[in-house]
């Protein structure tokens, strides 16, 4: 699957988000970004699903996949995706405001090659921090990490 350029479907599941707190996926650069709501799906009610595609364009000098696309943020060696929370997601009356930074660094070639045609790679992140508020800043991918999923 190491074509020069291809789109890689991803799903980010936000586990146990705070009720009534708006979360949206950021598409585009800060300042001129578009905010996209969670994907309609049969995901359990305690999770929100965000579906997106990143473009894989060859490899970085160290051999890791190079990611581009409208959802991808950050420098080539530290790519990530933003999920906006509360005020940053357009929820003016929220007491919270910020972004979740979802790192893409663990998406390696063996995992990408394990993704079946029509499938996607899925990762789960926490919706809450240790104190019970919303997860903000860089959030970890929960165990077992990113995983290839068959077509839903």
């Amino acid at each position: 699957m190491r074509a020069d350029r291809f789109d890689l479907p991803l799903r980010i599941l936000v586990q146990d988000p705070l009720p009534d707190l708006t979360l949206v996926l950021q598409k585009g650069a800060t300042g001129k970004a578009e905010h996209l709501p969670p994907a309609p799906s049969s995901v359990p009610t305690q999770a929100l699903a965000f579906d997106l595609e990143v473009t894989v364009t060859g490899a970085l000098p160290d051999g890791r996949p190079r990611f581009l696309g409208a959802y991808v943020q950050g420098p080539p060696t530290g790519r990530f995706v933003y999920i906006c929370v509360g005020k940053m997601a357009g929820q003016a009356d929220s007491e919270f405001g910020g972004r979740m930074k979802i790192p893409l660094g663990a998406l390696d070639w063996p995992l990408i090659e394990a993704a079946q045609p029509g499938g996607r790679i899925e990762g789960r992140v926490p919706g809450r921090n240790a104190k019970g508020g919303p997860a903000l800043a860089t959030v970890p991918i929960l165990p077992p990490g990113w995983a290839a999923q068959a077509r839903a």
Side-chain angles (χ1 to χ4, degrees):
M1 188 177 201
R2 288 199 193 187
D4 287 341
R5 183 182 186 98
F6 60 93
D7 291 329
L8 178 66
L10 301 179
R11 171 171 274 186
I12 298 169
L13 292 170
V14 179
Q15 298 290 127
D16 192 30
L18 290 174
D20 303 318
L21 182 64
T22 300
L23 293 134
V24 295
L25 180 64
Q26 180 174 316
K27 181 179 183 182
T30 302
K32 46 188 172 170
E34 182 180 350
H35 291 158
L36 304 172
S41 72
S42 59
V43 174
T45 56
Q46 65 270 24
L48 294 176
F50 293 94
D51 293 333
L52 63 139
E53 286 187 345
V54 298
T55 302
V56 181
T57 60
L60 296 169
D62 65 5
R64 291 182 297 143
R66 181 173 184 247
F67 300 111
L68 296 174
Y71 301 98
V72 177
Q73 312 286 333
T77 58
R79 297 287 201 211
F80 58 90
V81 172
Y82 276 135
I83 295 178
C84 300
V85 177
K87 289 185 188 308
M88 286 199 76
Q91 186 181 11
D93 64 345
S94 177
E95 65 180 289
F96 303 108
R99 293 186 287 202
M100 300 171 73
K101 185 176 176 180
I102 316 299
L104 301 178
L107 295 170
D108 60 12
W109 287 114
L111 178 58
I112 291 169
E113 290 166 353
Q116 299 296 316
R120 66 176 162 242
I121 295 177
E122 186 174 285
R124 296 177 306 115
V125 297
R128 300 181 194 219
N129 63 29
K131 295 181 180 178
L136 299 172
T138 302
V139 295
I141 305 299
L142 296 171
W146 291 103
Q149 303 293 320
R151 186 176 196 145

